[in-house]
Amino acid sequence: MMRKLFNKYTIIIAGFYIFWLAILPFILTGCANCFCKYFTENSNYNLTLENPNFRLSVLPTATFSAKTLKIKSKSDNLFININNPEICIRILPLITKRIHINSLSISSLEFSETIQEKLHLKKDFIQKLENSNIKLNSLNIKNFDINIYSKNLEKPINYNGENLIFSHNNRFIKFCVNSSLKIKAKKSDINLDLYFPKNNDINKIVFNVDVEKLNLADVQSYLAHYLPKDFKQMSGFIDIKADKDRLITNFIDCKCINKDNAKSIIFPKLLTVNSNFTIKSRYIYLDCVEIKAPEIDVNLKGKISDSIISRVDAIKKWFLMN
């Protein structure tokens, strides 16, 4: 009797996994192009897929891949072209209306869009990030080319690069990218290599930042919500080079102009800030800060605490949440 019951359950379980791992992925793969047709006919976008493929695992996770994925708006110039996308999503969090992406990889990404309003970073961006129901464990984009058109710009903002890698788990956060930002035909190179262990172990931290010729005048409008109300204009260029215990910043012809001229700040033609610092769990200790320019030679030291670190922790908690 027990043997028959055992055989019965074995057949049921085996049948379920044959359906889950073989039959259902085959059905979903076959329906992908039908879904694209339905989506295109009933939305403002044209969606096309080439060689779609679904896979399901025992864990359970769902993996979708394709040779190409293209989205084009019917009403404006929104265009997305993704080559060799592969995304792996955990299924159980979907029950509670959460999206947990294990991994997302793309060989190349092209994106273009027109922003009708003036482009700027919203003031509640960090808060929305904290309250998001989307969690991403790993992202790998080998090449990307992003163009943003705006009515206040004659030429699009272009951000392109390679080897964009983001990865995190309960032990660390890692982010790397080699990229260039072009605004109004002025190019800035931005190269980042960041690694932060959860316990902020200084011996394991990687903090390499290389930013060349960042144009403040071009960035100003996108930070409008974060600037004082009486702020009028800023201009000049900034170069930044940093590793885990040193930060060198060059301010070149920098000016911060307020409506009240008495509050305006005009830097020397070249001002260099050389900082040696140590990162601890709740503080950044400034061991030595040298500020140098013609007729200026200043040395400072101190620490940066909760006001800034709390914002960094808020972002880390979002990435490291269970």
Side-chain angles (χ1 to χ4, degrees):
M1 180 69 181
M2 291 296 294
R3 183 180 180 83
K4 289 183 179 180
L5 187 63
F6 176 79
N7 290 338
K8 179 180 178 180
Y9 281 117
T10 300
I11 292 172
I12 291 173
I13 294 172
F16 169 78
Y17 279 112
I18 290 173
F19 171 78
W20 179 259
L21 299 175
I23 299 175
L24 185 56
F26 178 79
I27 294 173
L28 291 174
T29 299
C31 292
N33 288 324
C34 294
F35 170 78
C36 290
K37 183 178 179 181
Y38 177 84
F39 182 87
T40 298
E41 292 175 350
N42 294 275
S43 73
N44 190 41
Y45 303 96
N46 291 311
L47 174 62
T48 58
L49 283 171
E50 185 178 352
N51 296 340
N53 181 51
F54 279 94
R55 300 192 306 274
L56 298 173
S57 72
V58 179
L59 293 178
T61 62
T63 301
F64 168 78
S65 62
K67 184 176 180 180
T68 61
L69 185 155
K70 295 181 181 180
I71 301 174
K72 190 177 188 308
S73 174
K74 298 175 184 178
S75 59
D76 56 39
N77 75 337
L78 170 66
F79 177 72
I80 303 173
N81 182 32
I82 303 174
N83 290 321
N84 300 310
E86 180 171 298
I87 182 170
C88 178
I89 299 177
R90 296 186 186 183
I91 295 176
L92 293 181
L94 296 175
I95 299 173
T96 57
K97 298 181 179 180
R98 293 183 298 114
I99 299 176
H100 190 145
I101 302 172
N102 274 355
S103 63
L104 172 60
S105 64
I106 296 170
S107 65
S108 67
L109 167 67
E110 297 175 53
F111 177 92
S112 65
E113 169 67 308
T114 297
I115 305 297
Q116 299 300 329
E117 301 178 356
K118 286 189 175 181
L119 187 63
H120 53 69
L121 188 63
K122 294 184 177 180
K123 201 167 187 177
D124 60 351
F125 170 76
I126 298 296
Q127 183 179 354
K128 287 184 177 180
L129 187 64
E130 293 177 39
N131 297 331
S132 172
N133 288 326
I134 300 176
K135 181 179 179 181
L136 174 64
N137 283 4
S138 175
L139 172 67
N140 190 331
I141 303 178
K142 291 184 178 179
N143 294 280
F144 61 90
D145 188 14
I146 299 171
N147 291 281
I148 303 295
Y149 298 82
S150 177
K151 63 182 181 181
N152 61 323
L153 292 174
E154 294 181 1
K155 294 184 178 181
I157 299 170
N158 176 260
Y159 183 55
N160 67 83
E162 59 184 13
N163 299 325
L164 191 159
I165 299 172
F166 167 79
S167 179
H168 91 89
N169 54 35
N170 291 330
R171 300 185 303 277
F172 68 84
I173 299 172
K174 177 181 177 64
F175 181 76
C176 302
V177 66
N178 298 319
S179 61
S180 296
L181 176 66
K182 186 182 289 186
I183 304 176
K184 297 179 181 178
K186 297 174 183 176
K187 181 181 175 183
S188 301
D189 293 325
I190 303 173
N191 301 311
L192 305 174
D193 183 7
L194 309 174
Y195 177 91
F196 297 102
K198 187 177 181 180
N199 61 1
N200 289 338
D201 185 346
I202 187 63
N203 294 318
K204 295 182 179 180
I205 288 176
V206 176
F207 185 78
N208 294 319
V209 178
D210 189 355
V211 179
E212 294 185 5
K213 298 181 181 178
L214 181 64
N215 191 327
L216 296 180
D218 295 336
V219 173
Q220 176 184 336
S221 60
Y222 313 120
L223 301 177
H225 287 309
Y226 292 87
L227 298 173
K229 291 182 179 180
D230 59 347
F231 191 85
K232 186 177 179 181
Q233 180 184 3
M234 62 181 177
S235 62
F237 297 87
I238 294 180
D239 292 342
I240 302 172
K241 292 185 183 296
D243 55 32
K244 68 179 180 181
D245 56 11
R246 190 177 185 188
L247 170 64
I248 301 174
T249 308
N250 290 321
F251 297 88
I252 305 164
D253 289 328
C254 291
K255 299 177 183 178
C256 297
I257 308 299
N258 273 20
K259 293 179 181 178
D260 181 357
N261 288 332
K263 297 181 180 179
S264 297
I265 302 173
I266 299 177
F267 290 82
K269 188 173 182 64
L270 174 61
L271 178 71
T272 299
V273 180
N274 189 343
S275 307
N276 292 323
F277 59 88
T278 304
I279 301 174
K280 298 295 185 180
S281 60
R282 294 298 305 171
Y283 299 95
I284 297 177
Y285 288 91
L286 302 174
D287 303 319
C288 179
V289 180
E290 297 178 345
I291 304 174
K292 293 188 175 182
E295 301 182 359
I296 297 176
D297 192 348
V298 178
N299 288 275
L300 304 170
K301 64 180 179 179
K303 64 181 179 181
I304 301 173
S305 59
D306 293 344
S307 59
I308 294 178
I309 301 298
S310 60
R311 276 302 169 193
V312 176
D313 282 349
I315 297 173
K316 286 179 68 177
K317 284 180 182 177
W318 181 78
F319 287 125
L320 295 171
M321 66 182 180
N322 293 322

